[in-house]
Amino acid sequence: DVKVTQSSRYLVKRTGEKVFLECVQDMDHENMFWYRQDPGLGLRLIYFSYDVKMKEKGDIPEGYSVSREKKERFSLILESASTNQTSMYLCASSSRQGHMNTEAFFGQGTRLTVV
Amino acid sequence: EDKVVQSPLSLVVHEGDTVTLNCSYEVTNFRSLLWYKQEKKAPTFLFMLTSSGIEKKSGRLSSILDKKELFSILNITATQTGDSAIYLCAVYLRGTGNQFYFGTGTSLTVIP
């Protein structure tokens, strides 16, 4: 069975803390994504990566950075957490199949609260 | 700017009702359109649509794509309380990284 695992379901951090959200997939997928999900705004892409050490900004990268040192792991970093980063964070992965279509497989989500 | 719009934003129906959820899109490099269901956890895949006019069906759920008018609908017949969820529409784009671009979602509540 396909699996995308996020390191925490719930996280509470203080303003100004450095926060690491980890995501691991076991499907040998090339593409990995970080989204945040807020009511009324849907899923918004923060960063994605299409290969090891490669990263591309999504629609809302400000205040975030990412790391992809190994193919199976994609980390989202909040350098200095702020209250407006309180949200649900979803990691996803997909294969890069050339002309074939593919779907995104999601982790269970991390609900981050910054106080 | 790529855009995916879902309507309605939320919907409350009674068990047994039929619902239609809408997704329209304006994107460059369209490859496919996907529907997901999200309960209180990870979104789960429902359908992938690539060709106009071909209905995809799974039990009481069905979906169709119109690539000329740039929209898709998701129908749920004989709704049950277990259908209560957020339904997400996403467009899969060609290009570097092969991005998925999501709409805001429709929150469906089915009351007994």
Side-chain angles (χ1 to χ4, degrees):
Chain A
D1 234 7
V2 152
K3 212 160 202 176
V4 180
T5 304
Q6 293 182 229
S7 51
S8 308
R9 284 296 303 274
Y10 300 96
L11 215 47
V12 180
K13 295 291 181 181
R14 294 196 180 280
T15 301
E17 275 194 79
K18 190 168 186 174
V19 182
F20 292 87
L21 302 183
E22 306 285 347
C23 176
V24 177
Q25 50 96 1
D26 64 1
M27 295 161 283
D28 202 35
H29 282 167
E30 293 83 3
N31 302 326
M32 295 188 76
F33 310 85
W34 275 107
Y35 296 90
R36 64 176 281 177
Q37 184 176 27
D38 300 288
L41 297 176
L43 269 69
R44 293 180 292 165
L45 182 65
I46 305 171
Y47 268 97
F48 66 98
S49 169
Y50 53 91
D51 205 345
V52 175
K53 296 196 188 293
M54 306 302 289
K55 59 186 179 186
E56 293 281 341
K57 291 180 181 178
D59 298 316
I60 51 163
E62 296 79 18
Y64 303 95
S65 62
V66 290
S67 171
R68 184 122 181 246
E69 295 297 316
K70 292 186 177 180
K71 191 176 185 181
E72 67 270 19
R73 187 179 295 270
F74 192 35
S75 303
L76 180 69
I77 303 149
L78 287 66
E79 295 289 342
S80 176
S82 64
T83 53
N84 63 13
Q85 292 178 310
T86 292
S87 187
M88 168 70 89
Y89 290 87
L90 287 164
C91 174
S93 72
S94 74
S95 67
R96 187 169 65 234
Q97 294 184 359
H99 67 284
M100 298 290 289
N101 286 301
T102 185
E103 62 183 269
F105 295 88
F106 284 88
Q108 77 277 28
T110 297
R111 187 163 292 282
L112 172 68
T113 303
V114 182
V115 297
Chain B
E1 186 183 317
D2 295 323
K3 194 163 60 171
V4 179
V5 177
Q6 291 186 247
S7 64
L9 281 182
S10 66
L11 196 53
V12 180
V13 300
H14 287 97
E15 264 192 319
D17 287 350
T18 293
V19 298
T20 298
L21 310 183
N22 303 291
C23 176
S24 64
Y25 61 93
E26 288 178 38
V27 300
T28 52
N29 301 315
F30 175 90
R31 178 172 274 192
S32 62
L33 187 143
L34 301 96
W35 285 97
Y36 287 83
K37 177 182 181 182
Q38 185 182 22
E39 296 167 274
K40 293 194 183 298
K41 48 189 168 129
T44 52
F45 174 76
L46 293 175
F47 297 113
M48 181 188 298
L49 303 154
T50 56
S51 302
S52 274
I54 298 174
E55 187 182 55
K56 293 275 181 98
K57 207 166 162 61
S58 175
R60 296 175 295 101
L61 278 66
S62 64
S63 184
I64 197 159
L65 174 68
D66 185 327
K67 288 170 77 173
K68 186 179 172 194
E69 300 298 329
L70 307 182
F71 76 91
S72 173
I73 59 171
L74 175 68
N75 278 321
I76 309 174
T77 58
T79 51
Q80 302 171 358
T81 54
D83 295 325
S84 296
I86 296 173
Y87 290 84
L88 298 166
C89 170
V91 175
Y92 180 44
L93 307 177
R94 302 174 195 276
T96 303
N98 295 318
Q99 290 188 56
F100 296 88
Y101 207 85
F102 283 84
T104 51
T106 293
S107 175
L108 174 66
T109 303
V110 182
I111 52 179

